[in-house]
Amino acid sequence: LVLSGADVRGRSTVIARITRALDAHRATRDLPTSLSIGGATWGADGDTTTALFDAADQAMYRDKQRSKTPPRA
């Protein structure tokens, strides 16, 4: 997903909206699903396409790792 003109805050907002929508959908269905999202912002995370894809990929794997970690009590 490419968000032309989005800054870090805008990117985070869109990711949160997608995550909430999936959570709401999951709550009404008996279908196990998961989603790991990684985002990158031009300038903050890189200034080439390769750097941005690498940063987004790394962020996705961090998200995936966090989702496997049980919440602390």
Side-chain angles (χ1 to χ4, degrees):
L1 176 62
V2 176
L3 303 170
S4 180
D7 59 7
V8 174
R9 185 175 180 188
R11 177 190 78 202
S12 297
T13 299
V14 170
I15 289 173
R17 288 179 65 193
I18 292 169
T19 302
R20 281 193 309 271
L22 180 63
D23 288 345
H25 183 74
R26 250 193 316 233
T28 63
R29 310 268 187 307
D30 187 23
L31 179 65
T33 57
S34 65
L35 175 68
S36 296
I37 300 176
T41 302
W42 183 269
D45 298 304
D47 58 4
T48 66
T49 303
T50 300
L52 290 170
F53 276 107
D54 288 345
D57 197 45
Q58 291 172 14
M60 180 193 64
Y61 283 106
R62 284 192 303 272
D63 188 41
K64 187 179 294 279
Q65 199 59 35
R66 271 192 299 268
S67 69
K68 289 182 180 180
T69 305
R72 293 183 177 183

